[in-house]
Amino acid sequence: MDLLERYSEIAGREVVDHLRQLSSQLKGMRVVHVNSTRQGGGVAELLAKIVPMMNALGIDTSWEVIEGTPSFFECTKGFHNAIQGNTVVLSDEAFQEYLRVNAQNAGKLRDKLRDADFVFIHDPQPAALLENIADRRGKWVWRCHIDCSRPYRPVWKFLRRIVCDYDASIFSTAQFVQPLPHPQYIIAPSIDPLSEKNMELPKDEVEGVRERFGLDPDLPIILQVSRYDRFKDPLGVIAAYRIARKIVPMQLVLAGGGASDDPEGEIVLKEVQKAAEGDPYIHVLVLPPDAHRIINALQRAADIVLQKSIREGFGLTVTEAMWKSKPVIGGDTGGIRLQVIDHYTGFRVRSPEGAALRIRYLLHNQEKRMEMGQRAKRFVRENFLLTRHLREYLALMIAIFHGLEDRIDLTRP
Ligand code: UDP
């Protein structure tokens, strides 16, 4: 069965027909997506699914990954932290390294980028490619995946100057939009229901993963899946678990790995391991970047999934858990607010104490847990599947391509 047909079984035939109709306007066009890591983190996860789907729709789409030096990634991690609101003072050398690495990558990708009809640049890392391709032919769109609702101004000022030259930008929620001199679009990310991360799994595979990591079959599982990053607040998760465990027995699983563009992961992991030391009911797992089925199984084995972030662009881990009918206790921030509808698909919390209260409530109320989990799955089916995401990308490309035309006839061959 062709790739698109498989989606019609989950999302419905009309959804797939609509994708075909939209893409007929873009057939043969060349699209390039650029980011800074092939594996690890939500952007890589998304591109691995969006790119083959766009090709299946007849759009010639490729995915390029820029290469950088350790000091480049230190600088862009600083950008990431600053855009999400931390005070981060970067040296002139750091800014120069950022520009130098972008110019170097632009040299390597020049022909491809110049000739593409659309270039999607994901996040700040490759944003300065644009100023190095002066003779570009196509439209360039900056896709910002992080929470830039309250950026640290000096860093945003530097980045804004670069981003201003784009033809459009995309943010995940309306709260993140910044004043920019071009059209801005809101597109929420999505999950691929057919991927190894999200497909149904046999029960014994889920049991196998439970055994493999030495999880107690008689204790409820509280899970957070995340890169080891302070914005994900793993220490807050441990604090919440400690409060809740005084009253209800349970075990906590923190599962994560690194991303090649994230140099802080090792340090945060050490902090987490130290905080968990001596507690046999806390399992800190370090997983390889391709452990999709294991994460899938852990999410299915869990009774409650946490994503206690203090900043979050979107939080694909939330969507993934909801798709597996799990209620999510999520930090009251960014893209989590789009997904965790308080008291309906889960709970939004602002402190370890708040999270502990909700953990206890859900563990005591199995029926409520199931009910919220079912609603969570339905909510994802209606809003956060790959097919909806792709439809919005295609519509945006058509709108940008047709520029000022106020009416676009989709029936035109
Ligand atoms: N992920 C993974 N392995 C890990 C940690 C995370 O495969 O060890 C995946 C996770 O399942 C999700 C993505 O990476 O698909 C993380 O995306 P999210 O939007 O939650 O956060 P980001 O890392 O982009 O901030």
Side-chain angles (χ1 to χ4, degrees), residues 40-43 45 197 225-227 232 255-258 287-289 292 295 299 307 312 314-318 320:
V43 180
E45 190 87 13
K197 179 74 58 67
V225 176
S226 277
R227 287 179 299 106
K232 311 285 183 185
L287 301 174
H292 303 302
I295 291 177
Q299 287 165 332
Q307 190 55 57
E312 189 62 76
F314 183 68
L316 284 179
T317 49
V318 173
E320 290 160 5

Side-chain angles (χ1 to χ4, degrees), residues 127 312 371 387:
E312 189 62 76
E371 198 181 291
T387 35

Side-chain angles (χ1 to χ4, degrees), residues 101-122:
V101 166
N102 266 273
Q104 198 175 40
N105 278 281
K108 283 192 219 151
L109 299 171
R110 161 163 302 286
D111 292 351
K112 215 165 196 187
L113 295 177
R114 186 195 52 215
D115 297 339
D117 297 291
F118 285 95
V119 176
F120 289 93
I121 297 289
H122 296 262

